[in-house]
Amino acid sequence: MSIVVTGANGNLGRLVVEGLLEKVPADRITAVVRGKEKGARFEALGVRIAVADYNVPGTFEGLFAAGDRVLLISSSEMTADRAAQHRVVIDAARAAGVSLLAYTSAAGGHESPLTEAHRRTEKALAESGLPYVLLRNNWYSEIFVDRLETVVEAGVLVRAAGTGRIASATRADYAAGAVAVLTGTGHENRTYELGGDTAWNFPEFAAELGRRTGREIVYTPVTVEAYTELLVGAGMPELYATILAGADASFAKGELAGTSGELSRLIGRATTQIGETVAAALKR
Ligand SMILES: NC(=O)c1ccc[n+]([C@@H]2O[C@H](COP(=O)([O-])OP(=O)(O)OC[C@H]3O[C@@H](n4cnc5c(N)ncnc54)[C@H](OP(=O)(O)O)[C@@H]3O)[C@@H](O)[C@H]2O)c1
């Protein structure tokens, strides 16, 4: 019996494997990576590795064993049919008879281009007959501090989210949640709405950034169309610009503002405040 983590070499996956190593022997953990070289860091720790690709169903055949607990980390390939990629893992897990399949889904009950693949994957899981857990993760706080220096330099934070709130948490918080589920009991067929304990908005974010840098940071809310144009003008491919601006529209409507407290209950501690994430980013 192994705890198997797909997407193990990604930002979230690495944190999950690190967290698992604190709770279970290394040889009971399997890291699924896309190339053998990407597994070197895990092998050095005594973690087993398996090489597989969501796009090549045969690579998942025989990868799982009966009784395994699996964390399916959602694909990062935004131009692929991600639900079809995830079904490859679900089918292999069902064929093997795994005892639990946890899936990193998206928070909120709303429909958007980002959530569409997650909802289809959730449906496939429900229909699979497998014991599953939905980890409906809200946004990663780290996404909002990406290229923070540009904002500080300009003294202006432009977004299309109005004053909508976001209950983000850090990848480390979500990873700890996944570890709690993979190593705990009684999570079968549960759906967890996971996010930060405190929701924040961009006016507060700008004020926090201003306090921590001693600079004036002016939050300038714009329309979704204007924000999309701005991102494309800055060199972002249109697909990603549309997705990011669409996410801001969801924030504006309060669709990601829910604070269920489920993540802090799972991990037995408070989630990381956005101010701490801002502070960590400014130290980089
Ligand atoms: N909640 C949020 O705010 C948020 C934000 C961004 C993404 N996400 C979702 O959360 C997931 C994990 O986040 P992250 O930060 O860890 O992303 P990440 O660092 O990009 O990691 C994604 C992982 O998925 C693997 N992967 C991609 N395509 C694959 C394929 N065809 N077959 C097998 N593995 C594949 C990658 O493998 P390689 O190491 O070989 O590249 C990587 O290990 C993302 O993939 C995305 O679905 C959520």
Side-chain angles (χ1 to χ4, degrees):
M1 204 282 276
S2 194
I3 298 180
V4 188
V5 181
T6 75
N9 187 49
N11 293 301
L12 182 68
R14 289 181 195 190
L15 292 168
V16 171
V17 173
E18 276 170 27
L20 286 171
L21 281 167
E22 288 172 16
K23 297 202 168 180
V24 295
D27 64 1
R28 279 195 44 214
I29 305 167
T30 303
V32 183
V33 290
R34 270 199 284 188
K36 198 163 174 359
E37 70 292 351
K38 293 185 174 177
R41 66 169 61 238
F42 302 117
E43 276 185 314
L45 296 166
V47 169
R48 296 179 349 191
I49 65 158
V51 177
D53 188 322
Y54 301 147
N55 295 316
V56 189
T59 59
F60 276 93
E61 274 171 27
L63 193 152
F64 304 117
D68 280 354
R69 290 174 162 221
V70 178
L71 175 65
L72 165 54
I73 292 189
S74 51
S75 168
S76 52
E77 294 183 324
M78 300 306 293
T79 51
D81 180 346
R82 295 194 298 157
Q85 290 183 320
H86 301 154
R87 266 200 309 276
V88 165
V89 180
I90 295 168
D91 289 348
R94 184 175 45 199
V98 310
S99 60
L100 190 71
L101 199 158
Y103 171 65
T104 61
S105 191
H110 62 290
E111 291 300 322
S112 77
L114 261 189
T115 59
E116 192 265 346
H118 290 296
R119 299 299 167 243
R120 282 202 286 143
T121 305
E122 291 184 353
K123 189 164 178 282
L125 269 172
E127 289 169 359
S128 73
L130 279 171
Y132 67 92
V133 190
L134 301 181
L135 305 172
R136 286 183 157 187
N137 293 342
N138 201 311
W139 279 66
Y140 301 153
S141 294
E142 289 90 341
I143 303 280
F144 303 99
V145 296
D146 195 25
R147 287 191 284 268
L148 205 54
E149 57 289 345
T150 320
V151 175
V152 175
E153 210 170 285
V156 178
L157 173 63
V158 180
R159 300 289 301 222
T163 56
R165 292 188 172 277
I166 309 158
S168 70
T170 59
R171 285 189 181 91
D173 293 335
Y174 296 116
V179 169
V181 163
L182 291 166
T183 59
T185 54
H187 300 293
E188 289 80 4
N189 304 331
R190 302 280 305 269
T191 296
Y192 292 110
E193 293 287 342
L194 303 178
D197 296 331
T198 313
W200 53 271
N201 63 18
F202 282 109
E204 291 167 357
F205 184 98
E208 181 77 31
L209 188 55
R211 262 195 306 279
R212 290 185 185 266
T213 55
R215 304 276 297 270
E216 192 193 3
I217 311 290
V218 179
Y219 173 52
T220 308
V222 295
T223 62
V224 168
E225 293 72 24
Y227 189 50
T228 311
E229 267 176 41
L230 192 127
L231 294 174
V232 171
M236 186 178 283
E238 190 148 2
L239 170 72
Y240 294 101
T242 307
I243 288 174
L244 279 189
D248 270 27
S250 285
F251 301 150
K253 285 187 244 169
E255 290 174 343
L256 279 304
T259 49
S260 66
E262 286 187 323
L263 182 52
S264 53
R265 276 197 294 281
L266 266 183
I267 65 182
R269 61 165 172 80
T271 60
T272 311
Q273 297 284 329
I274 191 69
E276 294 173 56
T277 306
V278 169
L282 290 171
K283 278 198 206 120
R284 280 195 307 238

